[in-house]
Amino acid sequence: MAIIKGMQDTLDAEVARFVQTPLKQPLLVNSIPKGGTHLLRNVLRMFVPIEQHHDRDFVQIPNMHQHLDAFDPNAPKLAAAHLLFSDQSLANIRFARHILLVRDPWDWVLARARFFVSDEFEQENIQHLKTPGLFSAEALMNMMIFGVHQKSPALIDIYTHNAAAWLGTGVHLVRYEDLAAAVRDIEAPGSERLIAELLEAAGIVRPDDWRERVVTGADRKKSRTARENLKLPDGLVFPDVLPDAQKALVEFHAPGLRKLLGYA
């Protein structure tokens, strides 16, 4: 079983600084793992009373039976998930507003590779990936694309069941890169439009201090999984941009995926 460690979350104190209006409907922030979930969830937390934060864990198929209260229409909550498309998932979240976060597969390969070899991630059967000097950055990127045999799923499996299969079912799609750009330049007209659409999809009336809330929630220093907060094995360096060889492998492995998600 994978374990995510990390720094203590301190954002509740920031949430308490703002006047909050309770949610009237359950709100699900769903994404692929390493899709930028913490950023989107932390932004939305700034608009939701603390007592409505369902923060015991990320909801997934194996633990969903322990989190059914997150989707109770009589006690609405904000919940985050890496939830596979399935009959069980659809039935359980049927009363929730559903925001689906995706990430460019090219960038996701790098983000997932960094995370897998960082101190933040523990999965017993792939701990050897962290051994200094054992695998090159390129080999690790390929493992993120094609999977680690019988130990970790391939890119196409994750994107198929955690993202593509949800499209067309009433979800509000958010691209991580668009959200990240919006919080970097919060005064831009495009940023206001994106946040306005996001809050409307979440069932949240946009308050006058929305910019301050977004910037506070998006503070990367408070995110335990932000790239700069990950400690990697000595000597292992990943590029800032996916190399051409790995870009070609993504296109071979999952043709049409980037276009489907709006990246091509």
Coordinates of all heavy atoms in Angstrom, one line a residue, residues 145-228:
I145 N 5.5 6.0 -17.7 CA 4.7 5.9 -18.9 C 4.1 4.5 -19.0 O 2.9 4.3 -19.2 CB 5.5 6.2 -20.2 CG1 6.0 7.7 -20.1 CG2 4.6 6.0 -21.4 CD1 7.0 8.0 -21.2
F146 N 4.9 3.5 -18.9 CA 4.5 2.1 -19.2 C 4.2 1.3 -18.0 O 3.7 0.2 -18.0 CB 5.6 1.4 -20.0 CG 5.8 2.0 -21.4 CD1 6.9 2.8 -21.6 CD2 4.9 1.8 -22.4 CE1 7.1 3.4 -22.9 CE2 5.1 2.3 -23.7 CZ 6.2 3.1 -23.9
G147 N 4.4 1.9 -16.8 CA 4.2 1.2 -15.6 C 5.4 0.4 -15.1 O 6.3 0.2 -15.8
V148 N 5.3 0.0 -13.8 CA 6.3 -0.9 -13.3 C 5.6 -2.3 -13.2 O 4.6 -2.5 -12.5 CB 6.8 -0.5 -11.9 CG1 7.8 -1.4 -11.3 CG2 7.3 1.0 -11.9
H149 N 6.1 -3.3 -13.9 CA 5.4 -4.5 -14.1 C 4.9 -5.1 -12.8 O 5.7 -5.4 -11.9 CB 6.4 -5.5 -14.8 CG 5.8 -6.8 -15.2 ND1 4.7 -6.9 -16.0 CD2 6.1 -8.1 -14.8 CE1 4.3 -8.2 -16.1 NE2 5.2 -8.9 -15.4
Q150 N 3.6 -5.3 -12.8 CA 2.9 -6.0 -11.7 C 3.0 -5.2 -10.4 O 2.7 -5.7 -9.3 CB 3.4 -7.4 -11.5 CG 3.1 -8.3 -12.7 CD 3.4 -9.7 -12.4 OE1 4.3 -10.1 -11.6 NE2 2.8 -10.7 -13.2
K151 N 3.5 -3.9 -10.4 CA 3.7 -3.1 -9.2 C 3.0 -1.8 -9.3 O 2.5 -1.3 -8.3 CB 5.2 -3.0 -8.9 CG 5.9 -4.3 -8.7 CD 7.4 -4.1 -8.5 CE 8.1 -5.4 -8.3 NZ 9.6 -5.2 -8.2
S152 N 2.9 -1.2 -10.5 CA 2.4 0.2 -10.6 C 1.7 0.3 -12.0 O 2.4 -0.1 -13.0 CB 3.4 1.2 -10.4 OG 2.9 2.5 -10.5
P153 N 0.6 0.9 -12.1 CA -0.1 1.0 -13.4 C 0.5 1.9 -14.4 O 1.2 2.8 -14.0 CB -1.5 1.4 -13.0 CG -1.4 2.2 -11.7 CD -0.3 1.5 -11.0
A154 N 0.2 1.7 -15.7 CA 0.7 2.5 -16.8 C -0.1 3.8 -16.9 O -1.2 3.9 -16.4 CB 0.7 1.7 -18.1
L155 N 0.5 4.7 -17.6 CA -0.2 6.0 -17.8 C -1.6 5.9 -18.4 O -2.5 6.5 -18.0 CB 0.7 6.9 -18.7 CG 0.2 8.3 -19.1 CD1 1.4 9.2 -19.4 CD2 -0.7 8.3 -20.3
I156 N -1.7 5.0 -19.4 CA -3.0 4.9 -20.1 C -4.1 4.4 -19.2 O -5.2 4.8 -19.3 CB -2.9 4.0 -21.4 CG1 -4.2 4.1 -22.2 CG2 -2.5 2.6 -21.0 CD1 -4.6 5.4 -22.7
D157 N -3.7 3.5 -18.3 CA -4.7 2.9 -17.4 C -5.2 4.0 -16.4 O -6.4 4.1 -16.1 CB -4.1 1.7 -16.6 CG -3.8 0.6 -17.5 OD1 -4.6 0.3 -18.4 OD2 -2.8 -0.1 -17.3
I158 N -4.3 4.8 -15.9 CA -4.6 5.8 -14.9 C -5.5 6.9 -15.6 O -6.6 7.3 -15.1 CB -3.4 6.5 -14.3 CG1 -2.6 5.4 -13.4 CG2 -3.7 7.7 -13.5 CD1 -1.3 5.9 -12.9
Y159 N -5.1 7.4 -16.8 CA -5.8 8.4 -17.5 C -7.2 7.9 -18.0 O -8.1 8.7 -18.0 CB -5.0 9.0 -18.6 CG -4.1 10.2 -18.2 CD1 -2.9 10.0 -17.6 CD2 -4.6 11.5 -18.3 CE1 -2.1 11.0 -17.2 CE2 -3.8 12.5 -17.9 CZ -2.5 12.3 -17.4 OH -1.8 13.4 -16.9
T160 N -7.2 6.7 -18.4 CA -8.5 6.1 -18.8 C -9.6 6.1 -17.7 O -10.7 6.6 -17.9 CB -8.3 4.7 -19.4 OG1 -7.5 4.7 -20.6 CG2 -9.7 4.1 -19.7
H161 N -9.2 5.5 -16.6 CA -10.2 5.3 -15.5 C -10.4 6.4 -14.6 O -11.4 6.6 -14.0 CB -9.8 4.0 -14.8 CG -9.7 2.8 -15.6 ND1 -10.8 2.2 -16.2 CD2 -8.7 2.0 -16.0 CE1 -10.5 1.2 -17.0 NE2 -9.2 1.0 -16.9
N162 N -9.3 7.3 -14.4 CA -9.4 8.4 -13.5 C -9.8 9.7 -14.2 O -10.2 10.7 -13.5 CB -8.1 8.6 -12.7 CG -7.8 7.6 -11.7 OD1 -7.4 6.5 -12.0 ND2 -8.2 7.9 -10.4
A163 N -9.7 9.8 -15.5 CA -10.0 11.0 -16.2 C -11.0 10.8 -17.4 O -12.1 11.3 -17.4 CB -8.7 11.7 -16.6
A164 N -10.5 10.2 -18.4 CA -11.2 10.1 -19.7 C -12.6 9.6 -19.5 O -13.6 10.1 -20.1 CB -10.5 9.3 -20.7
A165 N -12.8 8.5 -18.7 CA -14.1 7.9 -18.6 C -15.1 8.8 -17.9 O -16.3 8.5 -18.1 CB -13.9 6.6 -17.8
W166 N -14.7 9.8 -17.2 CA -15.6 10.7 -16.5 C -16.1 11.8 -17.4 O -17.1 12.4 -17.1 CB -14.9 11.4 -15.3 CG -14.7 10.5 -14.1 CD1 -13.5 10.0 -13.7 CD2 -15.7 10.0 -13.2 NE1 -13.7 9.2 -12.5 CE2 -15.0 9.2 -12.2 CE3 -17.1 10.2 -13.1 CZ2 -15.7 8.6 -11.2 CZ3 -17.7 9.5 -12.1 CH2 -17.1 8.8 -11.1
L167 N -15.4 12.0 -18.6 CA -15.9 13.1 -19.5 C -17.2 12.8 -20.0 O -17.6 11.6 -20.3 CB -14.8 13.2 -20.6 CG -13.4 13.6 -20.2 CD1 -12.5 13.7 -21.4 CD2 -13.4 14.9 -19.4
G168 N -18.0 13.8 -20.2 CA -19.4 13.7 -20.7 C -20.4 13.2 -19.7 O -21.5 12.9 -20.1
T169 N -20.0 13.2 -18.4 CA -21.0 12.7 -17.4 C -21.4 13.9 -16.5 O -22.0 13.7 -15.4 CB -20.4 11.6 -16.5 OG1 -19.2 12.2 -15.8 CG2 -19.9 10.4 -17.4
G170 N -21.2 15.1 -16.9 CA -21.6 16.3 -16.2 C -20.5 16.9 -15.3 O -20.8 17.7 -14.4
V171 N -19.3 16.4 -15.4 CA -18.2 16.9 -14.6 C -17.8 18.3 -15.1 O -18.0 18.6 -16.3 CB -16.9 16.0 -14.6 CG1 -17.3 14.6 -14.1 CG2 -16.3 15.9 -16.0
H172 N -17.2 19.1 -14.2 CA -16.6 20.4 -14.6 C -15.1 20.2 -14.8 O -14.4 19.9 -13.8 CB -16.9 21.5 -13.6 CG -16.2 22.8 -13.9 ND1 -16.7 23.6 -14.9 CD2 -15.1 23.4 -13.4 CE1 -15.9 24.7 -15.0 NE2 -15.0 24.6 -14.1
L173 N -14.6 20.3 -16.0 CA -13.2 19.9 -16.2 C -12.3 21.1 -16.0 O -12.6 22.3 -16.5 CB -13.0 19.5 -17.7 CG -11.6 19.1 -18.1 CD1 -11.2 17.8 -17.4 CD2 -11.5 18.9 -19.6
V174 N -11.2 20.9 -15.2 CA -10.2 21.9 -15.0 C -8.8 21.4 -15.3 O -8.5 20.2 -14.9 CB -10.2 22.4 -13.5 CG1 -9.1 23.4 -13.2 CG2 -11.5 22.9 -13.1
R175 N -8.1 22.1 -16.1 CA -6.7 21.7 -16.4 C -5.8 22.3 -15.4 O -5.8 23.5 -15.2 CB -6.3 22.1 -17.9 CG -6.9 21.1 -18.9 CD -6.5 21.5 -20.3 NE -7.3 22.7 -20.8 CZ -8.5 22.6 -21.4 NH1 -9.0 21.4 -21.6 NH2 -9.2 23.7 -21.7
Y176 N -4.9 21.5 -14.9 CA -3.9 22.0 -13.8 C -3.1 23.2 -14.3 O -3.0 24.1 -13.6 CB -3.0 20.8 -13.4 CG -1.8 21.3 -12.6 CD1 -2.0 21.6 -11.3 CD2 -0.6 21.5 -13.2 CE1 -0.9 22.0 -10.5 CE2 0.5 21.9 -12.5 CZ 0.3 22.2 -11.1 OH 1.4 22.7 -10.4
E177 N -2.7 23.1 -15.5 CA -1.9 24.2 -16.1 C -2.6 25.5 -16.1 O -2.1 26.6 -15.8 CB -1.3 23.9 -17.5 CG -0.4 22.7 -17.5 CD -1.0 21.3 -17.4 OE1 -2.3 21.3 -17.5 OE2 -0.3 20.3 -17.1
D178 N -3.9 25.5 -16.4 CA -4.7 26.7 -16.5 C -4.9 27.2 -15.1 O -4.8 28.5 -14.8 CB -6.1 26.4 -17.1 CG -6.0 26.0 -18.5 OD1 -5.0 26.3 -19.2 OD2 -7.0 25.3 -19.0
L179 N -5.1 26.4 -14.1 CA -5.3 26.8 -12.7 C -4.0 27.4 -12.2 O -4.0 28.4 -11.5 CB -5.7 25.6 -11.8 CG -5.9 25.9 -10.3 CD1 -7.0 27.0 -10.1 CD2 -6.3 24.6 -9.6
A180 N -2.9 26.7 -12.4 CA -1.6 27.2 -12.0 C -1.3 28.6 -12.5 O -0.7 29.5 -11.9 CB -0.5 26.2 -12.3
A181 N -1.6 28.8 -13.8 CA -1.4 30.1 -14.5 C -2.3 31.2 -13.8 O -1.8 32.3 -13.6 CB -1.6 30.0 -16.0
A182 N -3.5 30.8 -13.5 CA -4.4 31.7 -12.9 C -3.9 32.2 -11.5 O -4.0 33.4 -11.2 CB -5.8 31.1 -12.8
V183 N -3.4 31.3 -10.7 CA -3.0 31.7 -9.4 C -1.7 32.5 -9.4 O -1.4 33.3 -8.5 CB -2.9 30.5 -8.4 CG1 -4.2 29.8 -8.3 CG2 -1.8 29.5 -8.9
R184 N -0.9 32.3 -10.5 CA 0.4 33.1 -10.6 C 0.1 34.5 -11.0 O 0.8 35.4 -10.6 CB 1.3 32.4 -11.7 CG 2.0 31.2 -11.2 CD 3.2 30.8 -12.2 NE 2.7 30.6 -13.5 CZ 2.4 29.4 -14.0 NH1 2.4 28.4 -13.3 NH2 2.0 29.3 -15.3
D185 N -1.0 34.7 -11.8 CA -1.3 36.1 -12.2 C -2.8 36.3 -11.9 O -3.6 36.3 -12.8 CB -1.0 36.3 -13.7 CG -1.2 37.7 -14.2 OD1 -1.5 38.6 -13.3 OD2 -1.1 37.9 -15.4
I186 N -3.1 36.5 -10.6 CA -4.5 36.5 -10.2 C -5.2 37.7 -10.7 O -6.5 37.7 -10.7 CB -4.5 36.4 -8.6 CG1 -5.9 36.1 -8.1 CG2 -4.0 37.8 -8.0 CD1 -6.3 34.7 -8.5
E187 N -4.5 38.8 -11.2 CA -5.2 40.0 -11.6 C -5.6 39.9 -13.1 O -6.3 40.7 -13.6 CB -4.3 41.2 -11.5 CG -3.9 41.5 -10.0 CD -5.1 41.9 -9.2 OE1 -6.1 42.4 -9.8 OE2 -5.1 41.7 -7.9
A188 N -5.2 38.8 -13.8 CA -5.4 38.7 -15.2 C -6.9 38.4 -15.5 O -7.5 37.7 -14.7 CB -4.6 37.6 -15.9
P189 N -7.5 39.0 -16.5 CA -8.9 38.7 -16.8 C -9.2 37.2 -17.0 O -10.3 36.7 -16.5 CB -9.1 39.4 -18.2 CG -8.1 40.5 -18.2 CD -6.9 39.9 -17.5
G190 N -8.3 36.5 -17.6 CA -8.5 35.0 -17.7 C -8.5 34.3 -16.4 O -9.2 33.3 -16.2
S191 N -7.8 34.8 -15.4 CA -7.8 34.2 -14.1 C -9.1 34.4 -13.4 O -9.7 33.5 -12.8 CB -6.7 34.9 -13.2 OG -5.4 34.7 -13.8
E192 N -9.7 35.6 -13.5 CA -11.0 35.9 -12.9 C -12.0 35.0 -13.6 O -12.9 34.4 -12.9 CB -11.4 37.4 -13.1 CG -12.7 37.7 -12.5 CD -13.0 39.2 -12.5 OE1 -12.2 40.0 -13.0 OE2 -14.1 39.6 -11.9
R193 N -12.0 34.8 -14.9 CA -12.9 34.0 -15.6 C -12.8 32.5 -15.1 O -13.9 31.9 -14.8 CB -12.7 34.1 -17.1 CG -13.7 33.3 -17.9 CD -13.6 33.7 -19.4 NE -12.3 33.5 -19.9 CZ -11.5 34.5 -20.2 NH1 -11.9 35.8 -20.0 NH2 -10.3 34.3 -20.7
L194 N -11.6 32.0 -15.0 CA -11.4 30.6 -14.6 C -12.0 30.4 -13.2 O -12.7 29.4 -12.9 CB -10.0 30.2 -14.7 CG -9.6 28.8 -14.3 CD1 -8.5 28.2 -15.2 CD2 -9.3 28.5 -12.9
I195 N -11.6 31.3 -12.2 CA -12.0 31.1 -10.8 C -13.6 31.3 -10.7 O -14.2 30.6 -10.0 CB -11.3 32.2 -9.9 CG1 -9.8 31.9 -9.9 CG2 -11.8 32.1 -8.5 CD1 -9.4 30.5 -9.5
A196 N -14.1 32.2 -11.5 CA -15.6 32.4 -11.5 C -16.3 31.2 -11.9 O -17.3 30.7 -11.3 CB -16.0 33.6 -12.3
E197 N -15.8 30.5 -13.0 CA -16.4 29.3 -13.5 C -16.2 28.2 -12.5 O -17.1 27.3 -12.3 CB -15.8 29.0 -14.8 CG -16.2 30.0 -15.9 CD -15.5 29.7 -17.3 OE1 -14.6 28.8 -17.3 OE2 -15.8 30.3 -18.3
L198 N -15.0 28.1 -11.9 CA -14.8 27.1 -10.9 C -15.7 27.2 -9.7 O -16.3 26.2 -9.3 CB -13.3 27.2 -10.4 CG -12.9 26.3 -9.3 CD1 -13.0 24.8 -9.7 CD2 -11.5 26.6 -8.8
L199 N -15.9 28.4 -9.2 CA -16.7 28.5 -8.0 C -18.2 28.3 -8.3 O -19.0 27.7 -7.5 CB -16.5 29.9 -7.4 CG -15.2 30.2 -6.8 CD1 -15.1 31.6 -6.3 CD2 -14.8 29.2 -5.7
E200 N -18.6 28.7 -9.5 CA -20.0 28.4 -10.0 C -20.2 26.9 -10.1 O -21.3 26.4 -9.6 CB -20.3 29.1 -11.3 CG -21.7 28.9 -11.8 CD -22.0 29.5 -13.1 OE1 -21.0 30.1 -13.7 OE2 -23.1 29.5 -13.6
A201 N -19.3 26.2 -10.6 CA -19.4 24.7 -10.7 C -19.4 24.1 -9.3 O -20.1 23.1 -9.1 CB -18.2 24.2 -11.5
A202 N -18.8 24.7 -8.4 CA -18.7 24.2 -7.0 C -19.9 24.6 -6.2 O -20.1 24.1 -5.0 CB -17.4 24.7 -6.3
G203 N -20.8 25.5 -6.7 CA -21.9 25.9 -6.0 C -21.6 26.9 -4.9 O -22.3 27.1 -3.9
I204 N -20.5 27.7 -5.2 CA -20.1 28.7 -4.2 C -20.2 30.1 -4.8 O -19.8 30.4 -5.9 CB -18.6 28.5 -3.9 CG1 -18.4 27.1 -3.2 CG2 -18.0 29.6 -3.0 CD1 -16.9 26.7 -3.0
V205 N -20.9 31.0 -4.0 CA -21.1 32.4 -4.4 C -19.7 33.1 -4.2 O -19.1 33.0 -3.2 CB -22.2 33.1 -3.6 CG1 -22.3 34.5 -4.0 CG2 -23.5 32.4 -3.9
R206 N -19.2 33.7 -5.3 CA -17.9 34.3 -5.2 C -17.9 35.6 -4.4 O -18.6 36.5 -4.7 CB -17.4 34.7 -6.7 CG -16.0 35.3 -6.7 CD -15.5 35.4 -8.1 NE -16.4 36.0 -9.0 CZ -16.1 36.9 -10.0 NH1 -14.8 37.2 -10.1 NH2 -17.0 37.4 -10.8
P207 N -17.1 35.6 -3.3 CA -17.1 36.8 -2.4 C -16.1 37.8 -3.0 O -15.3 37.6 -3.9 CB -16.5 36.2 -1.1 CG -15.7 35.0 -1.5 CD -16.4 34.5 -2.8
D208 N -16.2 39.0 -2.4 CA -15.4 40.1 -2.9 C -13.9 39.9 -2.7 O -13.0 40.4 -3.4 CB -15.8 41.4 -2.2 CG -17.2 41.9 -2.6 OD1 -17.6 41.5 -3.7 OD2 -17.8 42.6 -1.8
D209 N -13.5 39.1 -1.6 CA -12.1 38.9 -1.3 C -11.6 37.6 -2.0 O -10.7 36.9 -1.5 CB -11.9 38.8 0.2 CG -12.7 37.7 0.9 OD1 -13.5 37.0 0.2 OD2 -12.6 37.6 2.1
W210 N -12.2 37.2 -3.1 CA -11.9 35.9 -3.7 C -10.4 35.8 -4.1 O -9.8 34.7 -4.0 CB -12.7 35.6 -4.9 CG -12.6 36.5 -6.1 CD1 -13.2 37.7 -6.3 CD2 -11.6 36.4 -7.2 NE1 -12.8 38.3 -7.5 CE2 -11.8 37.5 -8.0 CE3 -10.7 35.4 -7.5 CZ2 -11.1 37.7 -9.2 CZ3 -10.0 35.5 -8.7 CH2 -10.2 36.7 -9.5
R211 N -9.8 36.9 -4.5 CA -8.4 36.9 -4.9 C -7.5 36.5 -3.7 O -6.6 35.7 -3.8 CB -7.9 38.2 -5.5 CG -8.5 38.5 -6.9 CD -8.0 39.8 -7.5 NE -8.4 40.0 -8.8 CZ -9.6 40.6 -9.2 NH1 -10.4 41.0 -8.2 NH2 -9.9 40.8 -10.4
E212 N -7.7 37.1 -2.6 CA -6.9 36.8 -1.4 C -7.1 35.4 -1.0 O -6.1 34.7 -0.6 CB -7.3 37.8 -0.3 CG -6.5 37.6 1.0 CD -6.9 38.4 2.2 OE1 -7.9 39.2 2.0 OE2 -6.4 38.3 3.3
R213 N -8.2 34.9 -1.1 CA -8.5 33.5 -0.7 C -7.7 32.5 -1.6 O -7.1 31.6 -1.2 CB -10.0 33.2 -0.7 CG -10.8 34.0 0.2 CD -12.3 33.5 0.2 NE -13.1 34.4 0.9 CZ -14.1 34.0 1.8 NH1 -14.3 32.7 2.0 NH2 -14.9 34.8 2.4
V214 N -7.8 32.8 -2.9 CA -7.1 31.9 -3.9 C -5.6 31.9 -3.7 O -5.0 30.9 -3.6 CB -7.5 32.4 -5.3 CG1 -6.6 31.6 -6.3 CG2 -8.9 32.1 -5.6
V215 N -5.0 33.1 -3.5 CA -3.6 33.2 -3.3 C -3.2 32.5 -2.1 O -2.1 31.9 -2.0 CB -3.2 34.7 -3.3 CG1 -1.7 34.9 -2.9 CG2 -3.4 35.3 -4.7
T216 N -4.0 32.7 -1.0 CA -3.6 32.0 0.3 C -3.7 30.5 0.1 O -2.8 29.8 0.6 CB -4.6 32.4 1.4 OG1 -4.6 33.9 1.5 CG2 -4.3 31.8 2.7
G217 N -4.7 30.0 -0.5 CA -4.8 28.5 -0.7 C -3.8 27.9 -1.6 O -3.4 26.8 -1.4
A218 N -3.3 28.8 -2.5 CA -2.4 28.3 -3.5 C -0.9 28.4 -3.1 O 0.0 28.1 -3.9 CB -2.6 29.0 -4.8
D219 N -0.7 28.9 -1.9 CA 0.7 29.1 -1.4 C 1.5 27.7 -1.5 O 1.2 26.8 -0.7 CB 0.7 29.6 0.0 CG 2.1 30.0 0.5 OD1 3.1 29.7 -0.2 OD2 2.1 30.6 1.6
R220 N 2.5 27.6 -2.3 CA 3.2 26.4 -2.5 C 4.0 26.0 -1.3 O 4.3 24.8 -1.1 CB 4.1 26.5 -3.8 CG 3.4 26.6 -5.1 CD 4.3 26.8 -6.3 NE 5.1 25.6 -6.5 CZ 4.8 24.5 -7.2 NH1 3.6 24.5 -7.7 NH2 5.6 23.5 -7.3
K221 N 4.4 27.0 -0.5 CA 5.2 26.7 0.7 C 4.3 25.8 1.7 O 4.9 25.1 2.5 CB 5.6 28.0 1.4 CG 6.6 28.8 0.6 CD 7.2 29.9 1.4 CE 6.2 31.0 1.7 NZ 5.8 31.7 0.5
K222 N 3.0 25.8 1.5 CA 2.2 25.1 2.4 C 1.7 23.7 1.8 O 0.9 23.0 2.4 CB 0.9 25.9 2.8 CG 1.2 27.1 3.7 CD -0.1 27.8 4.0 CE 0.2 28.9 5.1 NZ 1.1 30.0 4.6
S223 N 2.2 23.4 0.6 CA 1.9 22.2 -0.1 C 3.1 21.2 0.1 O 4.2 21.4 -0.4 CB 1.6 22.4 -1.6 OG 1.5 21.2 -2.2
R224 N 2.8 20.1 0.8 CA 3.9 19.1 1.0 C 4.3 18.4 -0.2 O 5.4 17.8 -0.2 CB 3.4 18.1 2.1 CG 2.3 17.2 1.6 CD 1.9 16.2 2.7 NE 1.0 15.2 2.3 CZ -0.3 15.2 2.7 NH1 -0.7 16.2 3.5 NH2 -1.1 14.2 2.3
T225 N 3.5 18.4 -1.3 CA 3.9 17.7 -2.5 C 4.3 18.6 -3.6 O 4.5 18.1 -4.7 CB 2.7 16.8 -3.0 OG1 1.6 17.6 -3.2 CG2 2.4 15.7 -1.9
A226 N 4.5 19.9 -3.3 CA 5.0 20.8 -4.4 C 6.4 20.4 -4.7 O 7.2 19.9 -3.9 CB 5.0 22.2 -3.8
R227 N 6.7 20.6 -6.0 CA 8.0 20.1 -6.5 C 9.2 20.5 -5.7 O 10.1 19.7 -5.4 CB 8.2 20.6 -8.0 CG 9.5 20.3 -8.6 CD 9.5 20.9 -10.0 NE 10.9 20.8 -10.6 CZ 11.2 21.3 -11.8 NH1 10.2 21.7 -12.6 NH2 12.4 21.2 -12.3
E228 N 9.2 21.8 -5.3 CA 10.4 22.3 -4.6 C 10.5 21.8 -3.1 O 11.5 21.9 -2.4 CB 10.4 23.8 -4.5 CG 9.2 24.5 -3.9 CD 8.1 24.7 -4.9 OE1 8.0 24.0 -5.9 OE2 7.2 25.6 -4.6

